[in-house]
Every structure is written in C-alpha cells, then in structure tokens.
Amino acid sequence: DAEITQSPRHKITETGRQVTLACHQTWNHNNMFWYRQDLGHGLRLIHYSYGVQDTNKGEVSDGYSVSRSNTEDLPLTLESAASSQTSVYFCASSESGGWTDTQYFGPGTRLTVL
Amino acid sequence: AQSVAQPEDQVNVAEGNPLTVKCTYSVSGNPYLFWYVQYPNRGLQFLLKYITGDNLVKGSYGFEAEFNKSQTSFHLKKPSALVSDSALYFCAVRDKGSGSARQLTFGSGTQLTVLP
C-alpha cells in the first residue's frame, strides 16, 4: 500500500547542531508539506513543494530549509537547531494541489533540542 | 487572511451521547473546510471535507459536519459517541478568495474525551 513515512520518529539533539528530518511518500504525489505542531497553535506550515525543484516558504520558515530532488522525498533541515524548534514535525503530501485537495499525513517526528 | 477557531480546547461526552466539536472560520472568498483526527502518537487522519453543495457532509467512522455559511461554522458531529472516538480533532480551511498558494490553515485543536 502507498504510504508516507518519516524518520527518525524521535530525535534529541543539541543547540547549534544541524538536523535533517526525512519524509518519503510512495503515492507519487506532486505536493509535499512540512508542519510543526505545538500546543495551542495547531499545525503551522514550515515549507512546501509543488514538484521537483520547487520549494516555498510557509508561515514559520525561519531556521528551516528544504530541497526537492525527486518526487518521493522532501527532507527538512534545521541549519542550527534552537530550543524553540523543539516540536513535533509532520510531513504531508497531496495529489493535485488544487483548492479541494486533501493532504495525507505521516506519523510525525518528535524533536527535542537541548 | 484565512483563519480557523476551535473555541473549546476540551470536550467531554458520555458514551452513546451525541457529540459536537465546534469550528468557526474566517475567509475572504469561498471556504473549503476539512476535519482531521489525531490519535495519540499518530499523524493526522482525514475525516471529511466540504467543497460545495449539500451543507451536511458525511465522512469516516460515522462522523458528519454541517456547513453554515451565515454563521461561518463547520461543526463536527456524531449521533452516538464511542470511547474509541477519544482523540484530538482539527478543523482546517482553505480560502479560494485569498489569492494565496492554496495553503491549509489549521485550528488549534479540540481534545475529545468520551467517557464510558
């Protein structure tokens, strides 16, 4: 069955280190998204991509970067991890990117920055 | 700008009773509305969406939602709650009139607890 996976599921790192979170989908969806989930804020969009070589900044993109070299993967990189980036990170994908498009989510990565 | 409000952080209901999880939205154009559910330590799962047409939308696991344009609401409902419905519920909106890049905006979530 097609799916969307994230790795690692849990990560502890130190302030200032570079961290990369992986997201892989097998639906062949063009669109991929990264969100962070924090108590009281729901999900906030970090970056998104509508296709290979396309990346866009979301609401809370400072300190994060993404690259899209193929359809299946959208890794999220924290250039220099900060304690404020302790959060749960969700990757999502969708097929068409249209107004009625449904996004499907991965299981999440819990990141702790000490 | 589009926004979503879930006015209740926590909703408790007895098993077998009807449940309602509230959602109101603000958009400049036509809204496209979604409900997702999140079980502990899991990702969000899609429940249902309103695009156009019938104001009552039926979704997965017996859930339904009613779109009310005059009240700018999209409340999630279920006639008879199950203990297994206990989870975190998110409402989300996409605003076709915003001119934005078709992004979803999520509410802050409502924790539903169904008591046996």
Side-chain angles (χ1 to χ4, degrees), chain A residues 35-37 41-45 59 90 105, chain B residues 44 90 106-107:
Chain A
Y35 294 88
R36 60 178 289 173
Q37 182 182 30
H41 290 282
L43 275 76
R44 292 181 290 176
L45 184 63
E59 177 188 359
F90 288 100
F105 285 79
Chain B
L44 278 71
F90 290 98
F106 286 84

Side-chain angles (χ1 to χ4, degrees), chain A residues 43-78:
Chain A
L43 275 76
R44 292 181 290 176
L45 184 63
I46 304 171
H47 281 286
Y48 58 101
S49 168
Y50 286 147
V52 176
Q53 302 300 331
D54 176 75
T55 61
N56 306 278
K57 294 181 178 180
E59 177 188 359
V60 290
S61 61
D62 287 349
Y64 304 93
S65 64
V66 294
S67 62
R68 187 91 180 270
S69 59
N70 59 52
T71 301
E72 295 81 15
D73 300 290
L74 186 70
L76 177 71
T77 297
L78 287 68

Side-chain angles (χ1 to χ4, degrees), chain B residues 68-99:
Chain B
N68 188 315
K69 188 173 183 178
S70 63
Q71 297 185 4
T72 62
S73 67
F74 189 56
H75 300 332
L76 182 70
K77 300 181 180 183
K78 188 174 183 181
S80 179
L82 300 172
V83 172
S84 57
D85 293 329
S86 298
L88 186 58
Y89 290 81
F90 290 98
C91 183
V93 68
R94 192 179 274 136
D95 178 6
K96 190 172 183 181
S98 68

Side-chain angles (χ1 to χ4, degrees), chain A residues 9 35 37 40-43 45 48 50 57 90 97-107 110, chain B residues 32 34 36 38 41-44 46 49 51 88 90 94-96 100-104 106-108:
Chain A
R9 295 294 312 278
Y35 294 88
Q37 182 182 30
H41 290 282
L43 275 76
L45 184 63
Y48 58 101
Y50 286 147
K57 294 181 178 180
F90 288 100
W99 294 106
T100 62
D101 202 28
T102 297
Q103 293 182 14
Y104 297 94
F105 285 79
R110 183 174 296 276
Chain B
Y32 298 117
F34 301 76
Y36 285 83
Q38 184 182 28
N41 300 313
R42 303 284 296 275
L44 278 71
F46 170 71
K49 64 183 177 183
I51 304 303
L88 186 58
F90 290 98
R94 192 179 274 136
D95 178 6
K96 190 172 183 181
S100 69
R102 305 186 294 278
Q103 297 171 21
L104 268 180
F106 286 84
S108 56

Side-chain angles (χ1 to χ4, degrees), chain A residues 22-43:
Chain A
C23 175
H24 180 80
Q25 53 97 3
T26 58
W27 278 307
N28 201 34
H29 285 168
N30 287 324
N31 312 296
M32 297 184 73
F33 309 83
W34 274 104
Y35 294 88
R36 60 178 289 173
Q37 182 182 30
D38 304 290
L39 193 64
H41 290 282
L43 275 76

Side-chain angles (χ1 to χ4, degrees), chain B residues 8-100:
Chain B
E8 300 161 318
D9 292 336
Q10 175 82 40
V11 170
N12 296 327
V13 64
E15 187 174 28
N17 282 1
L19 69 86
T20 299
V21 182
K22 295 180 180 178
C23 172
T24 59
Y25 64 89
S26 176
V27 296
S28 58
N30 292 324
Y32 298 117
L33 295 151
F34 301 76
W35 275 104
Y36 285 83
V37 60
Q38 184 182 28
Y39 298 101
N41 300 313
R42 303 284 296 275
L44 278 71
Q45 296 179 31
F46 170 71
L47 276 180
L48 52 81
K49 64 183 177 183
Y50 170 80
I51 304 303
T52 187
D54 194 345
N55 290 340
L56 186 63
V57 180
K58 295 188 182 297
S60 306
Y61 313 121
F63 284 93
E64 57 190 27
E66 186 170 11
F67 172 67
N68 188 315
K69 188 173 183 178
S70 63
Q71 297 185 4
T72 62
S73 67
F74 189 56
H75 300 332
L76 182 70
K77 300 181 180 183
K78 188 174 183 181
S80 179
L82 300 172
V83 172
S84 57
D85 293 329
S86 298
L88 186 58
Y89 290 81
F90 290 98
C91 183
V93 68
R94 192 179 274 136
D95 178 6
K96 190 172 183 181
S98 68
S100 69

